[in-house]
Amino acid sequence: AQKVTQAQTEISVVEKEDVTLDCVYETRDTTYYLFWYKQPPSGELVFLIRRNSFDEQNEISGRYSWNFQKSTSSFNFTITASQVVDSAVYFCALSEAGLSGGGADGLTFGKGTHLIIQP
Amino acid sequence: DSGVTQTPKHLITATGQRVTLRCSPRSGDLSVYWYQQSLDQGLQFLIQYYNGEERAKGNILERFSAQQFPDLHSELNLSSLELGDSALYFCASSVGPDNSGNTIYFGEGSWLTVV
């Protein structure tokens, strides 16, 4: 069965520091998709990125970057020069293509990492 | 704004009651998903519909049911409510019918409190 582990329950850093959020996943499928979502205090879930299992290129979007490594089943998220507005709970999620016969069961989320950016 | 609209945003009801949560997907999206977020269980997939048909089922209780209408909006019905059903219920939508990697966009959620 698919599983996503975000071992860091809470991280607190001072503004302008760089911070990396870890995500480790488990899946038997060879085709799968990884996502990151942000949940600010207001509660909505904001989509950040989607990556498929065949694309191991790292991605950078402004202050955000993602490091996908199939060898270690990890999809880590780094925020450079953090800002107070980055304070939120961040979720990593996995979606299997369902080709292994396990079925397609929507997104499997990790427990989330609560990121606190102190001014 | 993700384009996914959920109503109501907040709801307080008593145990044993029944409520209906409503969702309008993003324009052009045919798939609708329902998720439950609670403190103890985290974010859990409940059910998915694609173009009016049930597509996938997750950890949805028998007391809960959902449907997707011809105009593609969806409703999640929660009945015989218990205190433990208090949670944030998310609707999400995507273009495709399956886990082909389509981006799944979430609404702002409906906060349900059962007292």
Side-chain angles (χ1 to χ4, degrees), chain A residues 55-75:
Chain A
D55 182 4
E56 284 194 74
Q57 283 192 346
N58 292 330
E59 181 157 338
I60 298 175
S61 176
R63 296 183 297 106
Y64 295 172
S65 62
W66 290 269
N67 183 0
F68 176 29
Q69 292 195 335
K70 287 179 75 171
S71 60
T72 56
S73 298
S74 65
F75 186 42

Side-chain angles (χ1 to χ4, degrees), chain A residues 80-99:
Chain A
T80 303
S82 60
Q83 300 176 2
V84 173
V85 293
D86 296 326
S87 297
V89 180
Y90 290 86
F91 291 94
C92 180
L94 167 70
S95 172
E96 292 178 334
L99 301 178

Side-chain angles (χ1 to χ4, degrees), chain B residues 3-94:
Chain B
V4 179
T5 304
Q6 290 187 245
T7 57
K9 288 189 168 36
H10 296 89
L11 190 57
I12 302 174
T13 190
T15 54
Q17 294 298 304
R18 171 189 170 96
V19 299
T20 297
L21 309 180
R22 194 178 191 279
C23 169
S24 293
R26 288 171 11 118
S27 177
D29 284 359
L30 299 179
S31 272
V32 169
Y33 310 77
W34 286 97
Y35 286 80
Q36 179 195 58
Q37 184 178 28
S38 61
L39 283 175
D40 53 346
Q41 297 292 327
L43 270 160
Q44 287 202 98
F45 168 68
L46 296 179
I47 197 164
Q48 178 201 357
Y49 281 82
Y50 174 74
N51 205 19
E53 299 291 326
E54 183 181 305
R55 184 76 185 183
K57 218 168 188 176
N59 299 319
I60 188 166
L61 300 173
E62 286 191 9
R63 300 183 285 109
F64 297 178
S65 64
Q67 54 183 329
Q68 186 180 28
F69 295 87
D71 67 352
L72 301 178
H73 91 272
S74 178
E75 292 181 356
L76 178 66
N77 299 297
L78 314 174
S79 62
S80 302
L81 285 167
E82 302 174 359
L83 296 178
D85 298 326
S86 296
L88 179 56
Y89 291 84
F90 283 107
C91 173
S93 73
S94 69

Side-chain angles (χ1 to χ4, degrees), chain A residues 33 37 39 50 96 104-105 107, chain B residues 35 37 45 56 99 101 103-104:
Chain A
Y33 309 92
Y37 288 87
Q39 186 174 38
R50 182 193 80 222
E96 292 178 334
D105 296 328
L107 287 170
Chain B
Y35 286 80
Q37 184 178 28
F45 168 68
N99 292 338
T103 298
I104 301 175

